[in-house]
Amino acid sequence: MDTYESVYKAYYETKQELEEKYKEIKKLKTKPKVNLEDCMQSERILSRAIEESINIVFITDFKGNIEYVNPMFEEVTGYSKDVVLGQNPRILASGETPFHAYQELWETISSGITWRGVFKNKKINGEFYWVKGLISPIKDDSGKITHFLAIQENITERIMAEKKAQAMLRLDLVTGILNRKYFLDCVESDLISKNPGVLILFDVDRFKLINDTYGHSIGDAFLKRIIEQILHILDHELKMSLYCIGRFGEDEIILWFREINGLNGLEIAERIRKAVENYRFTEHNISTTISAGIVAMPQHGLTVNDLLIRLDSSLFQAKERGKNKCVLYQPEDHHFESFQRRLHQKDRIEKALNEDRFEIWFQPILDLKTNSIDHFEVLARMRDEQGKIILPGAFIPAAENFGLINQLSRVIADKTIQYQANLQKQGKLYTFSMNLSGKDMDNDTLLDFLKEKFCQYQANPSCFVFEITETAAIRDMNAAVKCVQALKKMGCRFSLDDFGVGFTSFIYLKELQVDYVKIDGIFIKKLPEQVQDQGIVKAIQTIASSMNIQTIAEFVENDKILLLLKIFQIDYAQGYFIGHPAPEPKADFQMKV
């Protein structure tokens, strides 16, 4: 039985009980030689049950005029009993519910059947609230409907949490504009029409320095001011309408304009560049400049991927020219130094793979209920030819760009499975989590590879948690689900990585039947200061808990964050405050909280 069914059952039983008590009181009043005290006591019990209910209760006559409301009705709606008595419940209407919904409700209850559902209503102050409940007919001894009883649960907090969680999938929560994924979806849909258009990618110069100097909260506020400047120019000065705007990276803002050419795009970019150059963030006297790359469709590409490659090239050239420049892509400029550097990175990765210079490091994950390490995330490290450790940021993007990520992932998986088996032989049963790209989820060879390695090293599959990344890259959901089910049958568990940003979606929670969700660090880093982040974390925990999924918070960097996570009932924590990545798992690590 799910939560709502339980609520309905409770409502139905309450309604039945009220009706029975009502009938008993009526019988007592009509009996000769009735004990008046018994009658009054029954009435007091009935009245107290309704008056002290945590749910909204109101009663109307057959015509729908309100005859009674309980204190919770007054508390939630803001209407006093004196004001609403004699009124129709339509005074609560939000104005957004279609007429046929009310008509269906009335037809249901007038025919003697209990109606169940959700309504969006409006308080006396104009604020909206949501209720879930039932409206039941009350009949007299002859079976005639005389009144209607409404019992409603206030689910406003739950609805708002769900709305915030949904917004996470579409918007960048710092700036309020589209996130990278939804922006690209917008462009992709426009490209189908093959109408001309322009992409402009702005990079805020020295944004990292602003963050490091003034802090991320000031940096975020400054970025929002720049976006406000851009929107003012587009909406009020240039009167543009056919465009969309998104946040493409930490310091990148991207624009897509329909039905303009490259030169028009260059003019718009220059207008914005000059406005930002002259802007001063007066609260802290901060100023900066922006650089821009511009590409046009169809001249510079017919697909999103082609356009982005050239957009990156033009932006790189703008930065190379000293920043505070706007560059329109030119076909003859496509051989930039950046591409030569990337090719060099590819050669380094391939050589490191051939020479077995990739290693596995371990970062502990803390169980917040027991204050002990529960398992370890496996992280890839590369040693250069001089023996120096290279962090993932220096090789993972290049590995992804040149199609080497699958080979690298399998090397890491092979080493991890072998490592677990060796520890197990020493009597040490450690659990490890490692990344599994959504691109591989529908690939039969992945499942065969993992089965082969488990068998080869005689490892314990129940000691492995696979963190699914790049969920948007899953091409065949049915095949991905089969892969997950096959590995779970062996004892493996699954986690959804970076939940709350860009590529993750609630559909994956349901379809992939994951055991954990990792809350993205963007919502954790400033948790004590950001009320919005706190609301998002609580919303994710509520949703995950209702689906029997455990939560893991990333980027836990201090005791204040850890304390809040415990208060919010997050299950696990990971970050530098718990432990730094190390070449050996520190299983004896204990937190002092």
Side-chain angles (χ1 to χ4, degrees):
M1 181 180 293
D2 62 24
T3 304
Y4 293 146
E5 288 174 342
S6 300
V7 171
Y8 283 146
K9 184 174 182 295
Y11 284 159
Y12 180 75
E13 291 173 351
T14 303
K15 176 250 183 183
Q16 290 289 95
E17 182 181 350
L18 291 174
E19 285 187 342
E20 289 301 322
K21 288 181 178 178
Y22 179 73
K23 289 178 182 178
E24 288 175 12
I25 293 170
K26 286 192 67 178
K27 288 178 182 178
L28 285 171
K29 287 182 176 180
T30 56
K31 277 185 180 180
K33 300 179 181 179
V34 66
N35 185 320
L36 184 59
E37 183 59 34
D38 288 345
C39 178
M40 293 177 66
Q41 177 64 15
S42 296
E43 286 184 328
R44 283 195 294 269
I45 293 171
L46 173 60
S47 175
R48 192 179 305 118
I50 299 175
E51 290 285 307
E52 297 178 2
S53 175
I54 62 171
N55 295 311
I56 298 168
V57 179
F58 63 94
I59 299 172
T60 73
D61 63 17
F62 182 75
K63 294 181 180 180
N65 299 314
I66 297 174
E67 292 190 352
Y68 168 82
V69 297
N70 73 340
M72 185 56 67
F73 177 99
E74 296 179 282
E75 180 180 329
V76 172
T77 68
Y79 285 98
S80 68
K81 184 180 297 186
D82 295 337
V83 171
V84 297
L85 291 183
Q87 298 278 357
N88 190 285
R90 69 171 62 96
I91 63 172
L92 304 173
S94 66
E96 299 180 9
T97 304
F99 174 74
H100 68 80
Y102 291 113
Q103 190 174 28
E104 180 184 339
L105 182 157
W106 181 251
E107 289 174 355
T108 300
I109 60 177
S110 339
S111 63
I113 301 172
T114 296
W115 176 90
R116 295 175 174 85
V118 175
F119 262 122
K120 179 180 181 180
N121 289 333
K122 187 186 292 186
K123 301 180 182 182
I124 193 171
N125 63 4
E127 292 180 7
F128 293 119
Y129 70 100
W130 284 261
V131 293
K132 187 176 188 70
L134 58 78
I135 302 175
S136 289
I138 298 176
K139 302 175 183 178
D140 60 18
D141 292 338
S142 66
K144 179 182 177 182
I145 299 173
T146 60
H147 294 80
F148 296 105
L149 168 68
I151 306 176
Q152 300 172 335
E153 177 192 11
N154 183 4
I155 59 170
T156 304
E157 287 189 7
R158 185 190 309 165
I159 293 293
M160 296 307 294
E162 290 173 357
K163 285 179 176 291
K164 287 181 181 178
Q166 287 292 340
M168 292 190 305
L169 303 176
R170 185 171 55 88
L171 301 178
D172 172 70
L173 295 177
V174 172
T175 61
I177 59 179
L178 293 177
N179 62 29
R180 181 186 178 107
K181 178 186 182 300
Y182 269 79
F183 178 88
L184 292 179
D185 287 346
C186 172
V187 176
E188 189 79 58
S189 62
D190 279 354
L191 291 185
I192 296 173
S193 65
K194 296 186 178 180
N195 289 326
V198 166
L199 273 174
I200 303 177
L201 180 60
F202 290 105
D203 184 279
V204 181
D205 300 326
R206 298 180 295 278
F207 186 67
K208 185 179 185 303
L209 179 61
I210 293 171
N211 272 334
D212 292 344
T213 304
Y214 298 96
H216 285 278
S217 59
I218 301 300
D220 290 345
F222 182 65
L223 185 63
K224 286 191 279 189
R225 294 289 181 85
I226 290 177
I227 291 170
E228 288 172 4
Q229 290 281 312
I230 294 173
L231 293 175
H232 177 79
I233 292 170
L234 297 178
D235 296 338
H236 301 289
E237 295 182 17
L238 298 178
K239 309 293 184 184
M240 303 293 294
S241 58
L242 300 176
Y243 76 90
C244 59
I245 181 170
R247 187 176 184 183
F248 211 59
E250 184 181 20
D251 56 357
E252 293 178 332
I253 302 161
I254 191 165
L255 289 157
W256 166 249
F257 295 91
R258 305 176 184 94
E259 300 179 7
I260 67 170
N261 60 38
L263 291 176
N264 296 146
L266 182 59
E267 292 173 1
I268 293 170
E270 274 294 324
R271 182 81 167 260
I272 292 171
R273 183 195 64 77
K274 290 177 182 177
V276 173
E277 184 180 29
N278 295 323
Y279 175 70
R280 293 293 181 277
F281 189 22
T282 54
E283 288 88 339
H284 297 275
N285 196 30
I286 303 173
S287 64
T288 191
T289 56
I290 57 175
S291 304
I294 305 121
V295 295
M297 200 286 290
Q299 293 91 335
H300 303 147
L302 297 174
T303 68
V304 170
N305 188 56
D306 288 344
L307 290 171
L308 290 180
I309 290 173
R310 290 162 177 78
L311 189 64
D312 179 61
S313 298
S314 57
L315 177 60
F316 181 83
Q317 192 173 18
K319 305 282 276 188
E320 286 289 293
R321 292 180 183 178
K323 303 179 181 178
N324 195 25
K325 301 286 190 301
C326 298
V327 174
L328 174 63
Y329 177 80
Q330 300 296 329
E332 60 270 20
D333 292 335
H334 65 281
H335 292 298
F336 290 138
E337 293 179 7
S338 63
F339 292 100
Q340 294 177 354
R341 282 202 293 268
R342 291 174 189 173
L343 287 173
H344 176 64
Q345 287 179 321
K346 179 190 176 190
D347 292 337
R348 288 183 66 196
I349 295 169
E350 288 179 330
K351 190 172 182 182
L353 285 167
N354 292 332
E355 296 175 359
D356 193 26
R357 286 192 278 107
F358 282 96
E359 302 176 5
I360 52 175
W361 282 40
F362 309 88
Q363 186 171 31
I365 297 176
L366 181 73
D367 185 329
L368 293 179
K369 294 183 177 62
T370 64
N371 281 336
S372 61
I373 300 304
D374 182 80
H375 60 285
F376 300 84
E377 181 176 6
V378 175
L379 303 169
R381 296 290 186 267
M382 184 177 82
R383 285 198 183 272
D384 64 14
E385 293 174 319
Q386 287 73 45
K388 180 183 176 182
I389 286 291
I390 307 297
L391 297 178
F395 59 84
I396 292 293
E400 290 173 340
N401 289 337
F402 291 104
L404 298 172
I405 194 66
N406 290 344
Q407 184 181 353
L408 175 55
S409 296
R410 297 197 180 194
V411 166
I412 299 301
D414 179 277
K415 289 177 179 288
T416 305
I417 294 171
Q418 184 179 16
Y419 189 84
Q420 188 279 328
N422 290 337
L423 287 179
Q424 186 171 259
K425 291 172 184 176
Q426 301 170 29
K428 300 176 182 178
L429 200 63
Y430 293 171
T431 297
F432 302 104
S433 65
M434 53 186 168
N435 289 346
L436 186 63
S437 173
K439 295 177 182 177
D440 288 336
M441 294 293 294
D442 52 3
N443 188 336
D444 290 337
T445 60
L446 169 68
L447 183 58
D448 293 338
F449 170 82
L450 293 173
K451 286 182 177 179
E452 177 188 340
K453 293 302 174 182
F454 286 142
C455 180
Q456 177 183 344
Y457 298 120
Q458 296 183 335
N460 186 346
S462 65
C463 291
F464 292 91
V465 179
F466 291 104
E467 296 186 11
I468 304 172
T469 64
E470 299 180 291
T471 49
I474 296 176
R475 296 175 292 269
D476 185 343
M477 180 60 75
N478 290 331
V481 169
K482 288 180 181 178
C483 177
V484 170
Q485 289 175 342
L487 288 169
K488 285 177 77 78
K489 191 174 181 180
M490 297 171 63
C492 300
R493 285 166 287 168
F494 282 83
S495 172
L496 198 58
D497 200 20
D498 298 332
F499 190 78
V501 296
F503 297 116
T504 53
S505 169
F506 291 104
I507 188 65
Y508 299 114
L509 292 182
K510 178 182 177 182
E511 295 294 336
L512 297 176
Q513 299 176 11
V514 297
D515 304 281
Y516 309 89
V517 290
K518 296 193 79 169
I519 304 171
D520 192 83
I522 193 172
F523 307 117
I524 304 298
K525 292 178 180 178
K526 296 180 282 183
L527 194 63
E529 299 83 31
Q530 296 289 338
V531 175
Q532 187 181 47
D533 288 348
Q534 294 176 19
I536 291 166
V537 171
K538 287 190 282 188
I540 293 175
Q541 190 279 334
T542 299
I543 293 167
S545 178
S546 70
M547 300 176 72
N548 293 320
I549 297 172
Q550 294 186 300
T551 46
I552 303 173
E554 300 180 297
F555 287 87
V556 179
E557 298 177 350
N558 57 58
D559 57 350
K560 293 180 180 178
I561 295 175
L562 193 69
L563 178 60
L564 277 177
L565 294 175
K566 289 192 173 190
I567 293 172
F568 296 163
Q569 297 184 327
I570 301 301
D571 299 295
Y572 301 93
Q574 178 182 1
Y576 286 168
F577 186 69
I578 311 301
H580 287 256
E584 297 287 338
K586 297 180 180 180
D588 57 344
F589 182 88
Q590 293 289 329
M591 281 299 304
K592 296 180 181 179
V593 181

